[in-house]
Amino acid sequence: MADFYRQRRQLNEKIATAVGAACTHARLLFNQALEELKSSTNETLRIAMFNSTNMFPSMIARFGEQHPSIQLSLCKANRPDVFPENCDVMIHAWPELAAKLNSVCLLDEECLLGMNHDHPLAQAQQITLEQLRKQSFLLLTKNNILGELTHNYCDELGLLSNVSLVCDSQQTLTSLVEENMGFAFFPARTWKIESQALCLRRIEGHALHRKVYLSTPNGARSPVTQTFCRFVEAFFRSLMQPEEAN
């Protein structure tokens, strides 16, 4: 545009006027788009998620590094039937809620049987259902999505009568297994298990899976929400690549 204005005297006046008007209009559109972008990236993004994740802290930190002007507000997702009020996006594991919303499955993960590494069954790579008939199980309460999932799973396998204790805290559940109080189920990818006292094993022929979803309310997404959703989907795709390669 600067070159055009410097050379416009050498052009036909009608052409110069038309091109000048087009350039001025283009610059106006560019400035408007720039202001809209600045406005959108100053918004606060409200994210609801269930609180039991190994990967989410690093995901949020990386997003913040790439988009420092977007303010993030985190809240807990604790109802399987309602999208949290005043939230823009939700990361959760409730398939019924995902079906009602604009959703994509981020991850299908296996839930493994966790036990103290000193337990005799810890020496086996896979454990049979018959070996578990006399073992004690520890579960989360049913108001936790993993608690509901594992209650139903134990019921299907005929192990519900083996449940010796139910608690509402994932940290407590982990500590009880560390103390060799019983077996519990641990999501293989999203739970952060740092204890050296625990090991995870599969139940032969009886895999337990859960899905993790990214959901937004039905309708148009804001530019900031679109940016976050694209980032999260790409983050999980890159996360899954090493596992798929093996």
Side-chain angles (χ1 to χ4, degrees), residues 125-136:
Q125 290 304 306
Q126 289 195 344
I127 298 170
T128 67
L129 186 57
E130 289 304 314
Q131 289 175 307
L132 297 176
R133 295 298 183 191
K134 296 182 179 180
Q135 304 300 324
S136 295

Side-chain angles (χ1 to χ4, degrees), residues 56-216:
F56 289 173
S58 60
M59 180 189 76
I60 293 297
R62 196 174 305 175
F63 180 82
E65 291 173 357
Q66 295 184 17
H67 303 277
S69 60
I70 298 179
Q71 301 297 314
L72 300 179
S73 176
L74 304 181
C75 60
K76 182 180 178 181
N78 54 10
R79 288 193 58 182
D81 56 341
V82 178
F83 190 90
E85 188 177 357
N86 297 325
C87 279
D88 303 299
V89 62
M90 181 178 183
I91 300 174
H92 63 100
W94 289 303
E96 294 83 2
L97 184 59
K100 299 177 183 178
L101 302 169
N102 183 11
S103 305
V104 60
C105 180
L106 297 173
L107 172 66
D108 185 337
E109 69 173 335
E110 188 173 4
C111 297
L112 300 176
L113 191 64
M115 66 193 73
N116 185 286
H117 66 71
D118 290 330
H119 193 282
L121 290 181
Q123 305 306 314
Q125 290 304 306
Q126 289 195 344
I127 298 170
T128 67
L129 186 57
E130 289 304 314
Q131 289 175 307
L132 297 176
R133 295 298 183 191
K134 296 182 179 180
Q135 304 300 324
S136 295
F137 285 83
L138 314 169
L139 299 182
L140 291 169
T141 56
K142 285 189 176 182
N143 61 357
N144 181 295
I145 182 59
L146 183 62
E148 181 179 358
L149 180 69
T150 51
H151 268 86
N152 294 337
Y153 181 69
C154 286
D155 192 19
E156 291 174 4
L157 297 184
L159 298 173
L160 203 54
S161 60
N162 294 47
V163 176
S164 59
L165 188 146
V166 175
C167 66
D168 61 0
S169 166
Q170 293 161 187
Q171 291 76 17
T172 301
L173 187 74
T174 301
S175 297
L176 291 170
V177 178
E178 287 178 328
E179 295 297 326
N180 211 4
M181 295 289 293
F183 293 176
F185 295 95
F186 295 83
R189 299 300 298 266
T190 55
W191 271 32
K192 188 174 185 179
I193 303 174
E194 298 177 334
S195 173
Q196 299 299 314
L198 298 185
C199 63
L200 302 179
R201 296 291 182 264
R202 289 182 173 88
I203 302 177
E204 186 176 355
H206 298 280
L208 173 62
H209 287 261
R210 77 165 179 176
K211 293 183 178 180
V212 176
Y213 300 94
L214 172 70
S215 295
T216 57

Side-chain angles (χ1 to χ4, degrees), residues 47 56 59-60 63 89 91 104 106 213-214 226-238:
I47 308 165
F56 289 173
M59 180 189 76
I60 293 297
F63 180 82
V89 62
I91 300 174
V104 60
L106 297 173
Y213 300 94
L214 172 70
Q226 292 180 38
T227 298
F228 181 76
C229 289
R230 286 194 297 266
F231 173 87
V232 171
E233 291 181 48
F235 179 88
F236 272 83
R237 282 197 300 270
S238 64

